[in-house]
Amino acid sequence: QVQLEESGGGSVQTGGSLRLSCKPSTYTDDMAWFRQAPGKEREGVAYISTYGTTTDYADSVRGRFTISRDTDWNTAYLQMNSLKPEDTAMYYCAAGRGSGFPRLKSTSYKFWGQGTQVSVSS
């Protein structure tokens, strides 16, 4: 069992930046960030492989968000720049992807954090 602890959410204005962190309780392989706005399905935002050699992004955030991992290859970060009101959502960290399962699909992951709220005002 892996516990994931997210932090870094908050409220910013359009164009602002936030950095989310996700610290696992133990070593994990690849990790991902998802988000869910009220009344919408959970969507994959960004993915990073075990040693950070491979990343993947949703089209809606590519070029604005950057996923990375700490030098211990465990803690994951999501740097969010040029934030828009449509980025407002609860952001979740995920780990424990089944081998061969899609990187940005929520059902691919076994372990989830409690979420951290990101609110962007216009």
Side-chain angles (χ1 to χ4, degrees), residues 4-38:
L4 302 170
E5 182 178 354
E6 301 118 330
S7 61
S11 298
V12 296
Q13 293 188 325
T14 297
S17 297
L18 285 172
R19 189 192 195 206
L20 307 183
S21 298
C22 175
K23 184 172 176 58
S25 59
T26 187
Y27 173 82
T28 60
D29 293 324
D30 46 8
M31 299 173 72
W33 286 97
F34 288 76
R35 66 185 181 187
Q36 188 167 19

Side-chain angles (χ1 to χ4, degrees), residues 4 6 20-24 28-35 42-50 54-57 67-69 74-78 91-97 101-106 108-113:
L4 302 170
E6 301 118 330
L20 307 183
S21 298
C22 175
K23 184 172 176 58
T28 60
D29 293 324
D30 46 8
M31 299 173 72
W33 286 97
F34 288 76
R35 66 185 181 187
R42 189 168 296 190
E43 65 167 334
V45 174
Y47 160 90
I48 189 165
S49 60
T50 304
T54 300
T55 58
D56 197 8
Y57 297 92
I67 190 170
S68 61
R69 296 188 75 157
N74 232 19
T75 301
Y77 303 95
L78 185 68
Y91 282 70
Y92 298 91
C93 178
R97 184 173 67 100
F101 279 60
R103 296 168 177 170
L104 293 178
K105 192 172 175 66
S106 60
S108 299
Y109 294 85
K110 191 188 306 184
F111 305 115
W112 293 87

Side-chain angles (χ1 to χ4, degrees), residues 63-117:
R64 300 189 297 122
F65 291 11
T66 303
I67 190 170
S68 61
R69 296 188 75 157
D70 211 339
T71 52
D72 63 1
W73 308 118
N74 232 19
T75 301
Y77 303 95
L78 185 68
Q79 178 66 43
M80 304 185 296
N81 298 328
S82 302
L83 283 162
K84 306 175 181 179
E86 50 263 45
D87 295 318
T88 295
M90 186 71 79
Y91 282 70
Y92 298 91
C93 178
R97 184 173 67 100
S99 178
F101 279 60
R103 296 168 177 170
L104 293 178
K105 192 172 175 66
S106 60
T107 53
S108 299
Y109 294 85
K110 191 188 306 184
F111 305 115
W112 293 87
Q114 80 287 352
T116 184
Q117 179 68 38

